[in-house]
Amino acid sequence: MTTTTCHPLSHRERAILRAVAAGRCRLSPEIGAPLLVDGVYCSDQLVGLRLATAGLIRDGRRTPTITETGRAALAAA
């Protein structure tokens, strides 16, 4: 089941989606799986959860991947 966002994507969310699409993101092995971009913790601790809940990214075993819905959201932005 895919969910859609009920608000426009912020600049930060679009930047994270582009980083996920480029393969630059990883999920930390720590509890809560914080998102790392280029090896650095993302300052917005909930952005990964928001994007996953909206169906824009999915967890691919420590490497998040962008979904077709996420690609469409980036193309529309």
Side-chain angles (χ1 to χ4, degrees):
M1 180 169 103
T2 302
T3 329
T4 58
T5 58
C6 58
H7 65 84
L9 293 174
S10 70
H11 175 72
R12 178 180 296 144
E13 290 166 331
R14 288 190 310 271
I16 295 295
L17 274 179
R18 286 191 298 272
V20 169
R24 297 176 30 223
C25 294
R26 301 286 178 264
L27 296 173
S28 169
E30 296 177 14
I31 295 174
L35 191 64
L36 295 123
V37 180
D38 296 330
V40 178
Y41 285 102
C42 183
S43 63
D44 184 343
Q45 297 173 353
L46 299 177
V47 70
L49 179 61
R50 284 195 310 270
L51 295 175
T53 300
L56 303 176
I57 64 173
R58 67 177 155 263
D59 179 6
R61 298 278 276 171
R62 297 276 176 236
T63 303
T65 56
I66 191 166
T67 63
E68 288 304 315
T69 305
R71 289 186 195 287
L74 272 181

Coordinates of all heavy atoms in Angstrom, one line a residue:
M1 N 0.8 -1.2 0.0 CA 0.0 0.0 0.0 C 0.9 1.2 0.0 O 1.9 1.3 0.7 CB -0.9 0.0 1.2 CG -1.8 1.2 1.3 SD -3.0 1.0 2.6 CE -2.4 2.0 3.9
T2 N 0.6 2.2 -0.8 CA 1.3 3.4 -0.9 C 0.5 4.6 -0.4 O -0.7 4.7 -0.6 CB 1.7 3.7 -2.4 OG1 2.4 2.6 -2.9 CG2 2.5 5.0 -2.5
T3 N 1.2 5.4 0.4 CA 0.5 6.6 1.0 C 1.1 7.8 0.2 O 2.1 7.7 -0.3 CB 0.9 6.7 2.5 OG1 1.1 5.5 3.0 CG2 -0.2 7.4 3.2
T4 N 0.3 8.8 0.2 CA 0.8 10.1 -0.4 C 0.9 11.2 0.7 O 0.3 11.1 1.7 CB -0.1 10.6 -1.5 OG1 -1.4 10.8 -0.9 CG2 -0.2 9.6 -2.6
T5 N 1.8 12.1 0.4 CA 1.9 13.2 1.3 C 0.7 14.1 1.3 O 0.1 14.3 0.2 CB 3.2 14.1 1.0 OG1 3.1 14.5 -0.3 CG2 4.4 13.3 1.2
C6 N 0.4 14.7 2.4 CA -0.8 15.7 2.4 C -0.3 17.1 2.5 O -1.0 18.0 2.6 CB -1.7 15.4 3.6 SG -0.8 15.5 5.2
H7 N 1.0 17.3 2.4 CA 1.6 18.7 2.3 C 2.7 18.7 1.3 O 3.3 17.6 0.9 CB 2.2 19.1 3.7 CG 3.3 18.2 4.1 ND1 4.6 18.5 3.7 CD2 3.4 17.1 4.9 CE1 5.4 17.6 4.3 NE2 4.7 16.7 5.0
P8 N 3.0 19.8 0.7 CA 4.1 19.9 -0.3 C 5.4 19.6 0.4 O 5.6 19.8 1.6 CB 4.1 21.4 -0.7 CG 2.8 22.0 -0.2 CD 2.3 21.1 0.9
L9 N 6.3 19.0 -0.4 CA 7.6 18.6 0.1 C 8.4 19.9 0.4 O 8.4 20.8 -0.4 CB 8.4 17.8 -0.9 CG 7.8 16.4 -1.1 CD1 8.6 15.7 -2.3 CD2 7.9 15.6 0.1
S10 N 9.1 19.9 1.6 CA 9.9 21.0 1.9 C 11.2 20.9 1.1 O 11.5 19.9 0.5 CB 10.3 21.0 3.4 OG 11.1 19.9 3.7
H11 N 12.0 22.0 1.1 CA 13.3 22.0 0.5 C 14.2 20.8 1.0 O 14.8 20.1 0.3 CB 14.0 23.3 0.7 CG 15.4 23.4 0.1 ND1 15.7 23.4 -1.2 CD2 16.6 23.4 0.7 CE1 16.9 23.4 -1.4 NE2 17.6 23.4 -0.3
R12 N 14.2 20.7 2.3 CA 15.0 19.6 3.0 C 14.5 18.2 2.5 O 15.3 17.4 2.2 CB 14.9 19.7 4.5 CG 15.7 18.6 5.2 CD 15.5 18.7 6.7 NE 16.1 20.0 7.2 CZ 15.7 20.7 8.2 NH1 14.6 20.3 8.8 NH2 16.3 21.8 8.5
E13 N 13.2 18.0 2.5 CA 12.7 16.7 2.1 C 13.1 16.4 0.6 O 13.5 15.3 0.3 CB 11.2 16.6 2.3 CG 10.8 16.6 3.7 CD 9.3 16.9 4.0 OE1 8.7 17.6 3.1 OE2 8.8 16.4 5.0
R14 N 13.0 17.4 -0.3 CA 13.4 17.2 -1.7 C 14.9 16.9 -1.7 O 15.3 16.0 -2.5 CB 13.1 18.4 -2.5 CG 11.6 18.6 -2.8 CD 11.3 19.6 -3.8 NE 11.9 20.9 -3.6 CZ 11.4 21.9 -2.8 NH1 10.2 21.8 -2.3 NH2 12.0 23.1 -2.7
A15 N 15.7 17.6 -0.9 CA 17.1 17.3 -0.9 C 17.5 15.9 -0.5 O 18.3 15.2 -1.0 CB 17.9 18.4 -0.1
I16 N 16.8 15.5 0.6 CA 17.0 14.1 1.1 C 16.5 13.1 0.0 O 17.2 12.1 -0.2 CB 16.2 13.9 2.4 CG1 16.8 14.7 3.5 CG2 16.2 12.4 2.8 CD1 18.2 14.4 3.9
L17 N 15.4 13.3 -0.6 CA 14.9 12.4 -1.7 C 16.0 12.3 -2.8 O 16.3 11.2 -3.3 CB 13.6 12.9 -2.3 CG 12.4 12.4 -1.6 CD1 11.1 13.0 -2.3 CD2 12.3 10.9 -1.5
R18 N 16.6 13.5 -3.2 CA 17.6 13.4 -4.3 C 18.8 12.7 -3.8 O 19.4 11.9 -4.5 CB 18.0 14.9 -4.6 CG 17.0 15.6 -5.5 CD 17.5 16.9 -6.1 NE 17.9 17.9 -5.1 CZ 17.0 18.7 -4.5 NH1 15.8 18.8 -4.9 NH2 17.5 19.6 -3.6
A19 N 19.2 12.8 -2.5 CA 20.3 12.1 -2.0 C 20.0 10.6 -1.9 O 20.9 9.8 -2.2 CB 20.7 12.6 -0.6
V20 N 18.8 10.2 -1.5 CA 18.5 8.8 -1.5 C 18.5 8.2 -3.0 O 19.1 7.2 -3.2 CB 17.0 8.6 -0.9 CG1 16.5 7.1 -1.2 CG2 17.1 8.8 0.6
A21 N 18.0 9.0 -3.9 CA 18.0 8.5 -5.3 C 19.4 8.4 -5.8 O 19.7 7.5 -6.7 CB 17.2 9.5 -6.2
A22 N 20.3 9.2 -5.4 CA 21.7 9.1 -5.8 C 22.5 8.1 -5.0 O 23.7 7.9 -5.3 CB 22.4 10.5 -5.6
G23 N 21.9 7.4 -4.1 CA 22.6 6.3 -3.3 C 23.5 6.9 -2.3 O 24.4 6.2 -1.8
R24 N 23.3 8.1 -1.8 CA 24.2 8.7 -0.8 C 23.7 8.6 0.6 O 24.4 9.1 1.5 CB 24.3 10.2 -1.2 CG 24.9 10.5 -2.5 CD 25.0 12.0 -2.9 NE 25.1 12.8 -1.8 CZ 24.3 14.0 -1.7 NH1 23.5 14.3 -2.6 NH2 24.5 14.7 -0.6
C25 N 22.7 7.8 0.9 CA 22.1 7.7 2.2 C 22.2 6.3 2.7 O 22.2 5.3 2.0 CB 20.6 8.1 2.2 SG 20.4 9.9 1.8
R26 N 22.4 6.2 4.0 CA 22.4 5.0 4.8 C 21.6 5.1 6.0 O 21.4 6.2 6.5 CB 23.8 4.6 5.2 CG 24.8 4.4 4.0 CD 24.6 3.1 3.2 NE 25.4 3.0 2.1 CZ 25.1 3.4 0.9 NH1 24.0 3.9 0.6 NH2 26.0 3.2 -0.1
L27 N 21.1 4.0 6.6 CA 20.5 4.0 7.9 C 21.5 3.6 8.9 O 22.2 2.6 8.7 CB 19.2 3.1 7.9 CG 18.1 3.5 6.9 CD1 17.0 2.5 6.9 CD2 17.5 4.9 7.4
S28 N 21.6 4.3 10.0 CA 22.5 4.0 11.1 C 22.0 2.7 11.8 O 20.8 2.4 11.8 CB 22.5 5.1 12.1 OG 23.2 4.7 13.3
P29 N 23.0 1.9 12.3 CA 22.6 0.7 13.0 C 22.0 1.0 14.4 O 21.6 0.1 15.1 CB 23.9 -0.1 13.0 CG 24.9 0.9 12.9 CD 24.4 2.0 12.1
E30 N 22.1 2.2 14.8 CA 21.6 2.6 16.1 C 20.1 2.5 16.2 O 19.4 2.5 15.2 CB 22.0 4.0 16.4 CG 23.5 4.2 16.5 CD 23.9 5.7 16.8 OE1 23.0 6.5 17.1 OE2 25.0 6.0 16.6
I31 N 19.6 2.4 17.4 CA 18.1 2.3 17.7 C 17.5 3.6 17.1 O 17.9 4.7 17.2 CB 17.8 2.2 19.2 CG1 18.4 0.9 19.7 CG2 16.3 2.4 19.4 CD1 18.3 0.8 21.2
G32 N 16.4 3.4 16.4 CA 15.7 4.4 15.7 C 16.1 4.7 14.3 O 15.6 5.4 13.6
A33 N 17.2 4.0 13.9 CA 17.8 4.1 12.5 C 17.9 5.5 12.0 O 17.2 5.8 11.0 CB 17.0 3.2 11.6
P34 N 18.7 6.4 12.6 CA 18.8 7.7 12.0 C 19.4 7.7 10.6 O 20.1 6.7 10.3 CB 19.8 8.4 13.0 CG 19.9 7.5 14.2 CD 19.5 6.2 13.8
L35 N 19.1 8.6 9.8 CA 19.5 8.7 8.5 C 20.9 9.4 8.4 O 21.1 10.4 9.0 CB 18.5 9.5 7.7 CG 18.6 9.5 6.2 CD1 18.4 8.1 5.6 CD2 17.6 10.4 5.6
L36 N 21.8 8.8 7.6 CA 23.1 9.4 7.4 C 23.1 9.8 5.9 O 22.7 9.0 5.0 CB 24.2 8.4 7.7 CG 24.3 8.0 9.1 CD1 24.2 6.5 9.2 CD2 25.7 8.5 9.6
V37 N 23.6 11.0 5.6 CA 23.8 11.5 4.2 C 25.3 11.8 4.1 O 25.8 12.5 4.8 CB 22.9 12.7 4.0 CG1 23.2 13.2 2.5 CG2 21.5 12.5 4.3
D38 N 25.9 11.1 3.1 CA 27.3 11.2 2.9 C 28.1 10.9 4.2 O 29.1 11.5 4.5 CB 27.7 12.6 2.4 CG 27.1 12.8 1.0 OD1 26.9 11.9 0.2 OD2 26.8 14.0 0.7
G39 N 27.6 10.0 5.0 CA 28.3 9.6 6.2 C 28.0 10.5 7.4 O 28.6 10.2 8.5
V40 N 27.2 11.5 7.3 CA 27.0 12.4 8.4 C 25.5 12.3 8.8 O 24.6 12.2 7.9 CB 27.3 13.9 7.9 CG1 26.9 14.9 9.0 CG2 28.7 14.0 7.5
Y41 N 25.2 12.3 10.1 CA 23.9 12.2 10.6 C 23.1 13.4 10.1 O 23.5 14.6 10.1 CB 23.8 12.2 12.1 CG 24.2 10.9 12.7 CD1 25.5 10.7 13.2 CD2 23.3 9.8 12.7 CE1 25.9 9.5 13.7 CE2 23.7 8.6 13.2 CZ 25.0 8.4 13.7 OH 25.4 7.2 14.2
C42 N 21.9 13.2 9.6 CA 20.9 14.2 9.2 C 20.4 14.9 10.4 O 20.0 14.3 11.4 CB 19.8 13.6 8.4 SG 18.6 14.7 7.7
S43 N 20.4 16.3 10.4 CA 20.0 17.0 11.5 C 18.5 16.9 11.8 O 18.1 17.1 12.9 CB 20.4 18.5 11.4 OG 19.7 19.1 10.3
D44 N 17.7 16.6 10.8 CA 16.3 16.4 11.0 C 16.1 14.9 11.2 O 16.0 14.1 10.3 CB 15.5 16.8 9.7 CG 14.0 16.7 9.9 OD1 13.5 16.0 10.8 OD2 13.3 17.3 9.0
Q45 N 15.9 14.5 12.5 CA 15.9 13.1 12.9 C 14.7 12.4 12.4 O 14.7 11.2 12.3 CB 15.9 13.0 14.4 CG 17.2 13.5 15.0 CD 17.2 13.5 16.5 OE1 16.1 13.3 17.1 NE2 18.3 13.9 17.1
L46 N 13.6 13.1 12.0 CA 12.4 12.5 11.6 C 12.1 12.5 10.1 O 11.1 12.0 9.6 CB 11.2 13.1 12.3 CG 11.2 13.0 13.8 CD1 10.1 13.7 14.5 CD2 11.3 11.6 14.3
V47 N 13.0 13.1 9.3 CA 12.8 13.3 7.9 C 12.7 11.9 7.2 O 11.8 11.7 6.4 CB 13.8 14.2 7.2 CG1 15.2 13.5 7.1 CG2 13.3 14.5 5.8
G48 N 13.5 11.0 7.6 CA 13.5 9.6 7.0 C 12.1 8.9 7.3 O 11.5 8.3 6.4
L49 N 11.7 9.1 8.5 CA 10.4 8.5 8.9 C 9.2 9.1 8.2 O 8.3 8.4 7.7 CB 10.2 8.6 10.4 CG 8.9 8.1 11.0 CD1 8.8 6.6 10.7 CD2 8.8 8.4 12.5
R50 N 9.3 10.4 8.0 CA 8.2 11.1 7.3 C 8.2 10.7 5.8 O 7.1 10.4 5.3 CB 8.4 12.7 7.3 CG 8.1 13.3 8.6 CD 7.9 14.8 8.5 NE 9.1 15.5 7.9 CZ 10.1 15.9 8.5 NH1 10.3 15.8 9.8 NH2 11.1 16.5 7.8
L51 N 9.3 10.6 5.2 CA 9.4 10.2 3.8 C 9.0 8.7 3.6 O 8.3 8.4 2.7 CB 10.8 10.4 3.2 CG 11.2 11.9 3.1 CD1 12.6 12.0 2.7 CD2 10.3 12.7 2.2
A52 N 9.4 7.9 4.6 CA 9.0 6.4 4.5 C 7.5 6.3 4.8 O 6.8 5.5 4.0 CB 9.7 5.6 5.5
T53 N 6.9 7.0 5.7 CA 5.5 6.9 6.0 C 4.7 7.4 4.8 O 3.6 6.9 4.6 CB 5.2 7.8 7.3 OG1 5.9 7.2 8.4 CG2 3.7 7.7 7.6
A54 N 5.2 8.4 4.1 CA 4.5 9.0 3.0 C 4.6 8.1 1.7 O 4.0 8.3 0.7 CB 5.0 10.4 2.6
G55 N 5.5 7.0 1.9 CA 5.6 6.1 0.7 C 6.6 6.6 -0.3 O 6.6 6.1 -1.4
L56 N 7.5 7.5 0.1 CA 8.4 8.1 -0.9 C 9.8 7.4 -0.9 O 10.5 7.4 -1.9 CB 8.6 9.6 -0.6 CG 7.3 10.4 -0.6 CD1 7.6 11.9 -0.3 CD2 6.6 10.3 -2.0
I57 N 10.1 6.8 0.2 CA 11.3 5.9 0.3 C 11.0 4.6 1.1 O 10.0 4.6 1.7 CB 12.5 6.7 1.0 CG1 12.2 6.9 2.5 CG2 12.9 7.9 0.3 CD1 13.4 7.5 3.3
R58 N 11.8 3.7 0.9 CA 11.7 2.4 1.7 C 13.0 1.9 2.1 O 14.1 2.2 1.5 CB 10.9 1.3 0.8 CG 11.7 0.8 -0.3 CD 10.9 -0.3 -1.1 NE 11.3 -0.3 -2.4 CZ 10.7 0.2 -3.5 NH1 9.6 0.9 -3.3 NH2 11.1 0.1 -4.7
D59 N 13.1 1.2 3.2 CA 14.3 0.6 3.7 C 14.7 -0.6 2.9 O 14.0 -1.5 2.8 CB 14.1 0.3 5.2 CG 15.3 -0.3 5.8 OD1 16.4 -0.3 5.2 OD2 15.2 -0.7 7.0
G60 N 15.9 -0.5 2.4 CA 16.5 -1.6 1.6 C 17.6 -2.2 2.3 O 18.7 -2.2 1.8
R61 N 17.4 -2.7 3.6 CA 18.5 -3.3 4.4 C 19.7 -2.3 4.6 O 20.7 -2.5 4.1 CB 19.0 -4.6 3.7 CG 18.0 -5.7 3.6 CD 17.8 -6.5 4.8 NE 18.8 -7.5 4.9 CZ 19.0 -8.2 6.0 NH1 18.2 -8.0 7.0 NH2 19.9 -9.2 6.0
R62 N 19.4 -1.3 5.3 CA 20.4 -0.3 5.7 C 20.6 0.8 4.6 O 21.3 1.8 4.8 CB 21.7 -0.8 6.2 CG 21.6 -1.6 7.4 CD 21.7 -0.7 8.6 NE 21.5 -1.5 9.8 CZ 20.5 -1.3 10.7 NH1 19.7 -0.3 10.5 NH2 20.4 -2.1 11.7
T63 N 20.1 0.5 3.4 CA 20.3 1.5 2.3 C 18.9 1.9 1.9 O 18.2 1.0 1.2 CB 21.1 0.9 1.2 OG1 22.4 0.5 1.7 CG2 21.3 2.0 0.1
P64 N 18.4 3.0 2.2 CA 17.0 3.4 1.7 C 17.0 3.6 0.2 O 18.0 4.0 -0.4 CB 16.7 4.7 2.5 CG 18.1 5.3 2.8 CD 19.0 4.1 3.0
T65 N 15.9 3.3 -0.4 CA 15.7 3.5 -1.8 C 14.5 4.3 -2.1 O 13.5 4.3 -1.3 CB 15.6 2.1 -2.6 OG1 14.4 1.4 -2.0 CG2 16.8 1.3 -2.4
I66 N 14.5 5.1 -3.2 CA 13.4 5.9 -3.5 C 12.3 5.1 -4.2 O 12.7 4.2 -5.0 CB 13.9 7.1 -4.4 CG1 12.7 8.1 -4.5 CG2 14.4 6.7 -5.7 CD1 13.2 9.5 -5.0
T67 N 11.1 5.3 -4.0 CA 10.0 4.6 -4.6 C 9.6 5.4 -5.9 O 10.0 6.5 -6.1 CB 8.8 4.5 -3.7 OG1 8.3 5.8 -3.4 CG2 9.1 3.8 -2.4
E68 N 8.7 4.7 -6.7 CA 8.2 5.4 -7.9 C 7.4 6.7 -7.5 O 7.4 7.7 -8.1 CB 7.3 4.5 -8.7 CG 8.1 3.4 -9.4 CD 9.2 4.0 -10.3 OE1 8.9 5.0 -11.1 OE2 10.3 3.5 -10.3
T69 N 6.7 6.6 -6.3 CA 6.0 7.7 -5.8 C 6.9 8.8 -5.5 O 6.7 10.0 -5.7 CB 5.1 7.3 -4.6 OG1 4.3 6.2 -4.9 CG2 4.3 8.5 -4.1
G70 N 8.1 8.5 -4.9 CA 9.1 9.5 -4.5 C 9.7 10.1 -5.8 O 9.9 11.3 -5.8
R71 N 9.9 9.3 -6.8 CA 10.4 9.9 -8.1 C 9.4 10.8 -8.7 O 9.8 11.9 -9.2 CB 10.7 8.8 -9.1 CG 12.0 8.0 -8.7 CD 12.3 7.0 -9.8 NE 13.3 6.0 -9.3 CZ 14.5 6.2 -9.0 NH1 15.0 7.4 -9.2 NH2 15.3 5.3 -8.6
A72 N 8.1 10.5 -8.6 CA 7.1 11.3 -9.2 C 7.0 12.6 -8.4 O 6.8 13.7 -8.9 CB 5.7 10.6 -9.2
A73 N 7.1 12.6 -7.1 CA 7.1 13.8 -6.2 C 8.3 14.7 -6.5 O 8.1 15.9 -6.6 CB 7.1 13.4 -4.7
L74 N 9.4 14.1 -6.8 CA 10.6 15.0 -7.2 C 10.4 15.6 -8.5 O 10.7 16.8 -8.7 CB 11.9 14.1 -7.2 CG 12.6 14.0 -5.9 CD1 13.9 13.1 -6.2 CD2 13.0 15.3 -5.4
A75 N 9.8 14.8 -9.5 CA 9.6 15.4 -10.8 C 8.6 16.5 -10.8 O 8.7 17.5 -11.5 CB 9.1 14.3 -11.7
A76 N 7.6 16.4 -9.9 CA 6.5 17.4 -9.8 C 7.0 18.7 -9.0 O 6.4 19.7 -9.1 CB 5.3 16.8 -9.1
A77 N 8.1 18.5 -8.3 CA 8.5 19.7 -7.4 C 9.3 20.7 -8.2 O 9.9 20.5 -9.2 CB 9.4 19.2 -6.3

